[in-house]
Amino acid sequence: MNLSLKNRVAASFIIACFVVLVVGFTVFFHLNSLNKEIESITVKSNRVSLLTDEIRISAVSILKYQRRILSKKASPELVEKLVNLCDSFTSQLQTLDSLYRDPDVKRVVAQMQSYVDSLKVVLGKASLFHRDNIGMASIGDLADKILDSFSEFQDIQYFQSVERDKKIKKIINETKRNMMITLIISFLGTIILGLVVPGKIALPFKKIKDAIRELQDCNFDVSIYYSQDDEIGEIAREMNKMIHSFKVFEELRTDRISLENRKFDALANLVKKPVLLANANNQIIYMNSRLYSLLQVQSEDVIGKTMSDTLIPESIISTYQLAIKRRSKIENADIVIPKKKLKEVEAEGESSAVVEDDSAKLENGEAEVEENIFSGYGNVIPIRGKESSMDYYLMVLSTDVHV
């Protein structure tokens, strides 16, 4: 089926939207399930925490009133308040019992309820107006048992809160795993689509891309071949025209650069002074014949290389580095080109003889004077580009001071 570029893009867009919707709804489903489960656990936990606080207040109040009864002369008002607290405490324990299914919690809650009921019975039957009788003593014991049972309940609740946190983490990890599976399936589906769709959409652009890469490498002997008469075919024809124009322009540019290079070389050799040209990376671009003869090097030894990798004297290198650092003109810098030293000695005996001769000279107090083939001044002129990396620096050596 020969579809136009517009129809190919439309079909791919519809498929992509469908995949995105499926992935989005799946992820939303997992996130919604996670939110509901965490919300359920959180609501229950908040209810239990609030009810636990109420039970704690009731237990403390029962303990406070039973101490008043035991330490002071009991009054009907105190007894009535304590009975009302027991009724409220029983109601709270019943509500708490309905929120739990754990047998340990139900056992502790039932135990507290039995102690509260016993306390109500004792309050109803014992002689509250005579201290130190059996009923008065049992009130304190029952209140202590209620407090101990509540402490045991808090311990169980603490361990259950730890288990609740673990459960929440487990739910989150399961949701992450489900979402990861969904994303992996979506990724595999995307890969399959990526292998199928390019045959209909991306493949025609590959030829254009390859041609552009060749143009980036300054290869203008390239052409785009595409037989179909659609939008891509029109682009291919226009690009072939553009490539031909580039080729003509490059030929003209090359001829112009070659002409300018010959002019510069001629002018540099007309000057009776050594001339050196380097870029911002400290790489040598050009040297005139005068400098070649001074340094006694060949063009392949210096052109395109960093100055530190060649036989360029240290005074020239340091002057260039200063000019590059400042991006400014350097005038009358001291330049010294020493004479080449002989690095190899033909025989070991001759080497030892030279060392002995040098030692003898040093003992006699003679000073060795190094001979220089050039000693003068260097002037560096920056040729600035749009950026610092595109700068060039022209050095002219002279025996006279530039004024």
Side-chain angles (χ1 to χ4, degrees), residues 209-222 246 250 253:
K209 180 187 68 175
D210 294 338
I212 293 175
R213 286 184 176 179
E214 294 293 332
L215 290 176
Q216 290 176 347
D217 296 334
C218 297
N219 181 15
F220 299 102
D221 295 328
V222 66
F246 281 164
E250 179 63 19
R253 190 178 72 89

Side-chain angles (χ1 to χ4, degrees), residues 2-25:
N2 187 12
L3 296 176
S4 64
L5 179 62
K6 180 180 179 181
N7 294 331
R8 296 175 194 173
V9 173
S12 301
F13 180 75
I14 292 173
I15 295 173
C17 289
F18 177 75
V19 172
V20 170
L21 288 175
V22 171
V23 174
F25 279 117

